[in-house]
């Protein structure tokens, strides 16, 4: 049983090593909301909200997540006894629309608290079976095809098992072609973050020539119907990211044939209960899934690594090691990747598997708010 007696919010500022540009915006410095959760028996854990600085991925931002947490989530969670972590998601959904990233931060933290109290790793508590997970890198839009080719070469030399190229109209065909010509056999994919419409179908069909593993979310962030029409015109599998906000939306994707692969981000779908339901649905229907990323600190990364240890995560995730993002992470040990592109799943200790460096977090903190039962 888990019963929260303290919920502490923090905002930290963590500068990225290099700007990350996608079709809908650019990020230089992460503003991250962290939660510290304490249970009635004294167990403590940390979790991370993946909402960004601007509403260019979903409608949420760190500031909406902060308000929604303090004004609505705390009162639903504080002092309430939960017998199973699966009970948290329905409790947060009742007469409470949207705000999946804010809800997921506490829901996933509850899974970690159950793991702590039951003395198992978060991965084990979720039902994960992999000892290590295959890792891909997501490369932001570069200034030229040549610059992108250079970045891809470095990533492949580091051992990454998948390279995702961010694209947008005008920085797409020439960029992907240059990379494919330089690396004929590399496992490549593209992610458009909603930058196209059906009017671009013939342009997107040009990407079929480059043997991409998939093209992620070419059309609108909440679309399923048009993606189905586009998928009928493409040989390359469509992978949905933004459009899959719940297990029901994943069911709709299957019904409509809007795509053939799903990128699961637990924050986008409201947490681990929904992530597991989508995973199970996809396993039953032979749809590959992989774990997406949201430029998380080492805390959020722990949750992604644990999720990606589930058996159905058969493609490399956007779960790069700490050094890809930060000069110094907020956890010890930092997340590392082997020369063959694998990240180890920590199962030798209870909970999230890394130590949160509270001194470092204190240095980075710009805002706090705490609630006690
Ligand atoms: O579309 O997958 C995306 C980062 C921010 C917002 C959206 C996306 C991404 C990434 C980053 O691709 C992946 C990572 O965390 O390394
Ligand atoms: Mg994406």
């Amino acid at each position: 049983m888990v019963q929260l007696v303290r919920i502490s919010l923090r905002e930290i500022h963590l500068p990225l090593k290099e700007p990350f540009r996608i079709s809908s915006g650019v990020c230089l410095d992460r503003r991250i909301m962290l939660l510290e959760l304490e249970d009635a028996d004294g167990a403590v854990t940390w979790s991370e909200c993946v909402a960004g600085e601007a509403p260019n991925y979903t409608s949420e931002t760190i500031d909406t997540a902060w308000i929604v947490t303090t004004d609505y989530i705390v009162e639903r969670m504080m002092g309430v006894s939960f017998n199973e972590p699966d009970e948290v998601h329905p409790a947060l959904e009742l007469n409470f629309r949207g705000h999946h990233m804010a809800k997921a931060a506490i829901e996933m933290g509850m899974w970690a608290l159950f793991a702590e109290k039951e003395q198992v790793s978060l991965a084990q508590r979720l039902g994960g079976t992999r000892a290590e997970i295959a890792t891909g890198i997501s490369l932001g839009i570069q200034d030229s095809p040549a610059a992108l080719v250079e970045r891809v070469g470095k990533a492949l030399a580091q051992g990454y098992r998948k390279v995702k190229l961010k694209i947008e109209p005008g920085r797409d065909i020439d960029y992907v072609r240059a990379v494919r010509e330089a690396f004929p056999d590399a496992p490549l994919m593209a992610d458009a973050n909603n930058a196209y419409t059906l009017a671009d179908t013939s342009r997107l069909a040009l990407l079929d020539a480059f043997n991409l593993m998939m093209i992620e979310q070419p059309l609108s962030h909440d679309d399923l119907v048009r993606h189905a029409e586009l998928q009928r015109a493409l040989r390359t599998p469509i992978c949905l990211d933004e459009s899959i906000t719940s297990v029901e939306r994943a069911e709709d994707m299957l019904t409509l044939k809007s795509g053939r692969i799903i990128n699961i981000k637990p924050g986008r779908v409201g947490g681990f209960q929904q992530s597991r339901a989508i995973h199970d649905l996809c396993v039953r229907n032979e749809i590959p899934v992989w774990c997406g990323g949201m430029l998380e600190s080492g805390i959020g990364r722990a949750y992604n690594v644990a999720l990606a240890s589930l058996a159905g995560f058969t493609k490399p995730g956007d779960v790069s090691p700490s050094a890809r993002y930060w000069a110094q992470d907020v956890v010890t040990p930092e997340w590392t990747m082997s020369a063959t592109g694998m990240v180890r799943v920590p199962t030798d200790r209870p909970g999230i598997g890394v130590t949160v460096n509270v001194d470092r977090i204190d240095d980075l903190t710009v805002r706090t708010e705490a609630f006690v039962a």
Side-chain angles (χ1 to χ4, degrees):
M1 190 194 72
V2 169
Q3 186 184 12
L4 292 179
V5 295
R6 181 170 61 90
I7 302 172
S8 302
L9 293 74
R10 303 247 190 170
E11 176 180 341
I12 61 166
H13 285 190
L14 198 54
L16 282 165
K17 273 186 175 172
E18 59 178 20
F20 187 74
R21 179 179 299 280
I22 68 177
S23 65
S24 57
V26 62
C27 178
L28 292 104
D29 293 304
R30 288 300 329 277
R31 292 175 55 209
I32 300 175
M33 183 176 98
L34 299 176
L35 299 180
E36 190 185 7
L37 305 176
E38 186 175 337
D39 161 80
D41 296 327
V44 174
T45 201
W46 289 76
S47 67
E48 175 166 342
C49 178
V50 300
E53 299 73 34
N56 64 323
Y57 171 74
T58 69
S59 59
E60 290 184 86
T61 70
I62 174 175
D63 297 302
T64 70
W66 190 284
I67 286 182
V68 160
T69 302
T70 59
D71 289 7
Y72 301 101
I73 290 178
V74 166
E75 68 184 32
R76 281 188 185 227
M77 294 296 297
M78 187 72 83
V80 179
S81 301
F82 292 94
N83 291 312
E84 280 295 325
D86 261 342
E87 296 170 2
V88 177
H89 179 261
L92 288 170
E93 281 301 300
L94 183 68
N95 300 328
F96 186 170
R97 316 291 178 233
H99 301 286
H100 288 183
M101 293 175 175
K103 291 171 177 172
I106 200 155
E107 197 257 9
M108 293 159 72
M110 291 292 283
W111 280 84
L113 273 180
F114 273 91
E116 288 274 353
K117 294 189 74 174
E118 294 168 13
Q119 293 290 299
V120 295
S121 70
L122 180 59
Q124 287 161 341
R125 190 64 183 76
L126 286 166
T129 53
R130 296 172 192 278
E132 49 180 18
I133 59 164
T135 303
I137 190 170
S138 174
L139 295 176
I141 295 171
Q142 307 291 315
D143 289 336
S144 67
L148 182 60
V149 168
E150 196 202 315
R151 292 293 283 115
V152 173
K154 278 194 189 141
L156 293 171
Q158 286 174 294
Y160 281 106
R161 295 195 171 217
K162 185 185 80 182
V163 179
K164 173 162 120 178
L165 314 173
K166 292 288 187 178
I167 59 169
E168 65 184 6
R171 284 169 164 163
D172 43 15
I173 313 302
D174 293 346
Y175 283 63
V176 176
R177 181 189 296 112
V179 174
R180 180 49 86 208
E181 281 174 359
F183 308 103
D185 302 318
L188 301 177
M189 61 169 292
D191 185 358
N193 290 105
N194 331 318
Y196 298 89
T197 71
L198 276 180
D200 300 307
T201 299
S202 57
R203 184 174 188 93
L204 290 167
L206 296 174
L207 293 173
D208 275 343
F210 305 125
N211 190 26
L212 299 178
M213 297 168 75
M214 65 194 96
I215 173 169
E216 186 173 335
Q217 197 73 33
L219 306 180
S220 177
H221 68 100
D222 56 357
D223 173 78
L224 290 171
V225 172
R226 290 162 191 77
H227 277 104
E229 187 173 339
L230 180 64
Q231 181 67 90
R232 286 192 287 275
L234 297 183
R235 214 171 47 234
T236 308
I238 290 176
C239 169
L240 292 181
D241 173 355
E242 285 90 331
S243 287
I244 305 299
T245 52
S246 63
V247 67
E248 289 83 9
R249 300 285 284 169
E251 288 167 357
D252 294 347
M253 181 195 98
L254 291 172
T255 304
L256 296 168
K257 300 189 180 357
S258 315
R260 301 186 188 142
I261 300 173
I262 293 181
N263 163 345
I264 301 181
K265 293 179 182 172
R268 193 191 66 224
V269 302
F272 279 156
Q273 187 273 342
Q274 286 289 293
S275 297
R276 293 207 313 170
I278 294 168
H279 164 273
D280 295 351
L281 173 77
C282 288
V283 168
R284 287 198 300 278
N285 288 278
E286 294 177 20
I287 295 285
V289 304
W290 52 280
C291 184
M294 290 293 291
L295 310 174
E296 289 91 347
S297 81
I299 294 172
R301 201 157 300 281
Y303 288 84
N304 288 347
V305 169
L307 180 65
S309 75
L310 296 185
F313 284 77
T314 54
K315 295 199 183 292
D318 283 345
V319 189
S320 297
S322 303
R324 183 261 183 278
Y325 309 93
W326 325 112
Q328 189 194 341
D329 206 336
V330 299
V331 298
T332 315
E334 297 206 347
W335 293 98
T336 56
M337 182 179 78
S338 75
T340 55
M342 305 299 285
V343 170
R344 203 180 64 80
V345 180
T347 50
D348 45 356
R349 49 195 278 194
I352 65 172
V354 284
T355 302
V356 175
N357 187 341
V358 181
D359 287 342
R360 167 113 176 106
I361 288 177
D362 282 341
D363 289 344
L364 301 169
T365 297
V366 299
R367 167 162 64 146
T368 62
E369 200 164 341
F371 299 83
V372 289

